[in-house]
Amino acid sequence: MLTHHLRPSFALSDTTFHFLDASPSEALRIAMDAAQGKDVRLGGGVTTVLEFLEAGLVDDLHIAVAPHDIGSGLRLWSSPTDLEDRFHHESVLSPSGMEHHFFWR
C-alpha cells in the first residue's frame, strides 16, 4: 500500500499488507516480486490511479461509475474517451444504472 505514513505490515487471512512510501514504478516492482508471477491489482484513490496511468504502468483497468454525483472531488477524466489514445475501451451499462468501463492495451 502506498502511503506517506509508514506502518508495520500486517496479515489478514492469506494476504499480507505492506506499506510503502515509493514511486509508482518502485511500488509495482516490489508488488510484482511479492506476487511471484500472480496478478498485481491497483486499488486506490484518483491520485494514485492517475499516477500509475501517467507512468504507463496500467495494462487493464475496470472503472465502475455510479449514476450519482456525491459532492466535489477529483476526477479520473472529463470523459472516458480521454483514455482512448492509450487503451481500447468498452462500456457496459448494468441494470442498476452503474456503468462499467473496461480499458485494455
Side-chain angles (χ1 to χ4, degrees):
M1 300 181 99
L2 288 179
T3 181
H4 295 295
H5 306 286
L6 295 177
R7 50 187 65 120
S9 299
F10 69 90
L12 291 175
S13 185
D14 62 345
T15 301
T16 301
F17 296 88
H18 302 283
F19 297 87
L20 305 170
D21 184 7
S23 69
S25 60
E26 179 68 6
L28 180 59
R29 186 193 61 74
I30 292 168
M32 290 179 73
D33 288 347
Q36 299 177 351
K38 295 179 184 174
D39 285 343
V40 172
R41 294 179 182 231
L42 170 64
V46 171
T47 301
T48 300
V49 173
L50 287 174
E51 287 176 354
F52 277 79
L53 284 169
E54 289 169 9
L57 300 173
V58 177
D59 293 324
D60 298 281
L61 183 66
H62 173 199
I63 302 292
V65 179
H68 309 288
D69 284 333
I70 306 176
S72 62
L74 300 174
R75 294 176 170 260
L76 273 175
W77 55 54
S78 297
S79 165
T81 60
D82 293 352
L83 299 178
E84 290 181 354
D85 62 329
R86 295 173 275 173
F87 294 94
H88 301 281
H89 173 225
E90 183 177 334
S91 175
V92 177
L93 190 61
S94 70
S96 68
M98 183 82 66
E99 188 168 9
H100 295 267
H101 294 275
F102 299 93
F103 299 89
W104 68 97
R105 291 189 187 273

